Amino acid sequence: MTTDTFTTCLWFDGKAEEAANFYVSVFENSAVERVVRWPESGPGPAGAVLSVEFTAGGQRFVALDAGPEFTFNEAVSLQIHCAGQREIDHYWTELTGNGGEGGPCGWLKDRYGLSWQVVYAPLPGMIADPDPERAGRVLRAMMGMGKPDAAGLERAYAGE
């Protein structure tokens, strides 16, 4: 490989630039870097968006405006590890707003159909705790939640 990084390409149907601008507005350390448009020689409509290169939360993405052939599904999701409830609330609200929808266990779909997991950052360690009772309490608590409740997870971990 010539680089130690990779770029995630997201396929959109006419909404690549809109989606890139949305993601840049939601995450810190984000910017739209380049919008590539179809040239006069085609094959797409001259001047229409072909792709948008952007960074969201420090991660590189390309939003490709490639038509309706493919859509997002839950087989791929992006995880957001949140330090506390304030971050959880921010990302949950932003990503479910204007047509997004919340799901179980911290999963949601944004308005473009892209799946996200809003994760309380200590959660993976809690679930991996060597004490099976402690880990089980946390897992059961999480499975009963939509939007993660950091305090509720901490209470379950502590056995309260």
Side-chain angles (χ1 to χ4, degrees):
M1 288 180 60
T2 59
T3 180
D4 60 355
T5 63
F6 60 90
T7 301
T8 300
C9 182
L10 303 172
W11 182 298
F12 293 90
D13 180 15
K15 302 229 181 223
E17 188 170 24
E18 176 186 312
N21 286 321
F22 171 67
Y23 298 133
V24 164
S25 77
V26 171
F27 296 94
E28 293 181 6
N29 191 20
S30 301
V32 171
E33 292 144 16
R34 179 175 21 196
V35 177
V36 177
R37 299 187 182 280
W38 285 103
E40 291 289 328
S41 59
V49 171
L50 170 60
S51 64
V52 181
E53 297 171 22
F54 68 101
T55 302
Q59 301 294 312
R60 295 173 42 150
F61 293 89
V62 171
L64 180 66
D65 246 338
E69 290 83 3
F70 300 106
T71 58
F72 298 121
N73 67 49
E74 293 80 0
V76 174
S77 62
L78 303 177
Q79 291 185 339
I80 307 165
H81 295 267
C82 300
Q85 196 64 46
R86 177 182 242 171
E87 280 186 86
I88 291 167
D89 292 346
H90 166 75
Y91 291 119
W92 191 270
T93 299
E94 292 296 318
L95 293 169
T96 59
N98 295 320
E101 60 184 73
C105 305
W107 286 63
L108 63 85
K109 281 189 181 182
D110 68 26
R111 66 184 83 168
Y112 304 102
L114 184 59
S115 292
W116 297 83
Q117 295 177 54
V118 179
V119 179
Y120 178 48
L123 180 64
M126 293 173 163
I127 293 172
D129 191 289
D131 178 344
E133 288 183 30
R134 181 180 256 184
R137 286 192 310 263
V138 174
L139 190 56
R140 284 188 299 279
M142 185 220 33
M143 301 216 32
M145 295 176 183
K147 178 176 73 171
D149 172 7
L153 293 168
E154 291 289 350
R155 285 191 301 274
Y157 190 67
E160 298 173 6

